Amino acid sequence: MKLGVSSYSLYQAMQSGSMTLLEVIDWVAGIGGEHIEIVPLGFDFGETPELIEQIRERAAKAGISISNYAIGANFIVDSEEAYAAEIARVKREVDHAHSLGVKLMRHDVASRPDTSVVRFQEDLPRIADACREIADYAAQYGITTSLENHGYYVQASDRVQAVIHAVDRPNYKTTLDIGNFVCVDENPVVAVKKNIGYASMVHIKDFYVRPENLNPGAGWFRSAGGQYLRGAIAGQGDLDLWEILRIVKASGYDGYLSIEYEGMEDCRQGTRIAFDNVRRIWDEV
């Protein structure tokens, strides 16, 4: 197991200008991180391709690996031209992943206001065709592509599995986010147990969960079923992180674990505490 941090965890500091992405790499190494996951928020490799080599050099100097490249995408668009353009754009991002030197890349697959299972079943072949084409393109670089369980539409464990099986490629898996299942009101312990065997990457996060009839005020958002959710420091929220990490460990998964912090505390403090908690809990379970 290699424990590290998603750059997304420090987005608050990067957005405010108090840290640069290169400084985030040094910071992650400084807390003992073994890898950093790159999420292109606030920058675009298409516009600043020189940043790729700067990231590689900084990570090598800091002594940590670059684990995963995680981008957004949506193949449910209004025209064939837009569909082809989105596939082509994601392929260019695969090229960026290759230039970064990573062997893992997550791209989103679909978003819709109508998140019904009927609509999902209608969209599944189109989603799978796009993902299969991108996975085949990524195979030339030895890259495994993946979808993450987030965005409400393709978030439940069964829908993630449906996409993986429809794509049917050995280098297409899931970036398994242990916390995001609560956004569609799925028990994360059960969902992680179901999907850990398909994981190429594991994200660690935590949430506070409150019932829909008890509005806790500002800073919370709603699950698909109406529960109130707020990002928490891993190990301090309402998820059973001990049991979830026990399941991950018992499965034989020995890849990257990536802290994703999105709470209301200072991002450096929240990420550091989450990192220390996960390392301790992993050793305990």
Side-chain angles (χ1 to χ4, degrees):
M1 185 276 289
K2 301 174 185 68
L3 181 60
V5 174
S6 168
S7 65
Y8 170 70
S9 300
L10 284 303
Y11 180 61
Q12 179 192 94
M14 289 189 285
Q15 190 177 38
S16 71
S18 63
M19 294 181 84
T20 66
L21 177 60
L22 299 181
E23 288 170 339
V24 166
I25 294 171
D26 293 339
W27 187 90
V28 170
I31 66 169
E34 297 172 84
H35 70 89
I36 184 164
E37 178 182 12
I38 301 297
V39 181
L41 288 172
F43 62 91
D44 184 334
F45 288 142
E47 298 174 357
T48 55
E50 67 277 5
L51 186 56
I52 292 175
E53 187 57 32
Q54 292 170 9
I55 291 169
R56 289 187 62 149
E57 290 177 357
R58 197 65 162 253
K61 185 178 179 181
I64 64 175
S65 60
I66 306 169
S67 55
N68 187 42
Y69 181 50
I71 67 158
N74 183 12
F75 302 115
I76 303 305
V77 287
D78 294 334
S79 68
E80 289 300 320
E81 292 77 14
Y83 181 71
E86 183 70 339
I87 292 172
R89 182 188 69 82
V90 176
K91 285 181 178 179
R92 290 193 296 272
E93 294 282 24
V94 172
D95 294 336
H96 294 149
H98 175 59
S99 297
L100 277 171
V102 301
K103 294 301 180 184
L104 300 175
M105 175 180 159
R106 182 218 81 191
H107 64 81
D108 293 330
V109 298
S111 178
R112 268 195 188 279
D114 177 3
T115 60
S116 68
V117 69
V118 172
R119 178 64 71 182
F120 171 73
Q121 289 172 331
E122 291 174 352
D123 287 337
L124 180 57
R126 195 164 182 78
I127 293 169
D129 286 347
C131 294
R132 188 181 307 111
E133 183 174 340
I134 293 161
D136 287 345
Y137 182 80
Q140 68 180 311
Y141 300 130
I143 291 175
T144 293
T145 54
S146 64
L147 78 160
E148 185 173 345
N149 51 306
H150 70 179
Y152 293 96
Y153 191 38
V154 192
Q155 191 154 3
S157 59
D158 286 348
R159 294 194 188 187
V160 168
Q161 285 191 34
V163 175
I164 292 170
H165 288 299
V167 173
D168 192 26
R169 289 294 186 269
N171 68 320
Y172 187 74
K173 298 187 178 182
T174 183
T175 288
L176 176 60
D177 188 302
I178 67 166
N180 280 345
F181 294 110
V182 298
C183 299
V184 286
D185 306 287
E186 189 172 10
N187 183 325
V189 171
V190 175
V192 168
K193 190 179 296 185
K194 287 168 64 175
N195 278 19
I196 187 60
Y198 300 95
S200 59
M201 181 85 186
V202 175
H203 284 172
I204 307 295
K205 69 164 58 129
D206 206 342
F207 283 106
Y208 299 112
V209 183
R210 299 293 180 268
E212 64 178 308
N213 63 321
L214 300 176
N215 184 348
W220 298 69
F221 68 98
R222 297 266 201 164
S223 72
Q227 292 188 106
Y228 286 98
L229 305 172
R230 179 159 77 82
I233 295 171
Q236 296 188 358
D238 293 323
L239 273 62
D240 187 351
L241 202 62
W242 281 257
E243 178 60 12
I244 290 169
L245 288 177
R246 187 199 66 77
I247 291 167
V248 173
K249 192 172 186 177
S251 75
Y253 176 84
D254 194 33
Y256 296 110
L257 298 185
S258 191
I259 301 296
E260 267 201 351
Y261 172 70
E262 52 188 23
M264 294 179 70
E265 297 87 351
D266 173 79
C267 63
R268 279 158 287 209
Q269 180 189 46
T271 302
R272 182 190 296 271
I273 295 171
F275 182 90
D276 291 343
N277 280 348
V278 171
R279 172 157 284 170
R280 173 177 50 81
I281 295 168
W282 182 269
D283 289 341
E284 290 175 357
V285 297

